[in-house]
Amino acid sequence: MASTELWAGLSVITLMGSSFASRVGASNPRILAEIRGHLESGRITCKLFDTLRYTNDIEWAYIKMIEQYRPGNPLEYIPY
């Protein structure tokens, strides 16, 4: 996913396909404006852009994996 481009509010350019939906999405400025607005409003609340939370979550997962790797510890499911 092109998260940097989405954060900047840019549309990700793709090749227009042969299906009706791909042609409509690529040629309708109103729909493109709605999508851009949705992306811009989601930057604040979307997990994709919450770097602090992502960093904390992945560090927590690494700690859990190290704890399970130590001898004598049983392997367990690590919930997310």
Side-chain angles (χ1 to χ4, degrees):
M1 176 173 267
S3 60
T4 305
E5 289 80 4
L6 296 175
W7 175 257
L10 298 173
S11 299
V12 177
I13 299 174
T14 58
L15 180 63
M16 184 169 57
S18 59
S19 70
F20 174 74
S22 66
R23 288 191 305 275
V24 169
S27 63
N28 189 325
R30 183 185 58 79
I31 291 175
L32 293 175
E34 287 176 14
I35 292 170
R36 175 173 280 152
H38 178 72
L39 289 172
E40 288 174 356
S41 67
R43 286 190 300 198
I44 296 171
T45 58
C46 182
K47 290 181 183 180
L48 175 66
F49 302 116
D50 190 348
T51 342
L52 180 60
R53 179 179 174 171
Y54 176 80
T55 303
N56 289 335
D57 287 349
I58 200 155
E59 287 175 348
W60 177 85
Y62 289 152
I63 290 168
K64 292 297 179 186
M65 286 186 266
I66 291 168
E67 289 172 354
Q68 286 191 15
Y69 178 75
R70 291 185 178 142
N73 290 344
L75 294 179
E76 298 175 3
Y77 170 74
I78 299 175
Y80 175 72

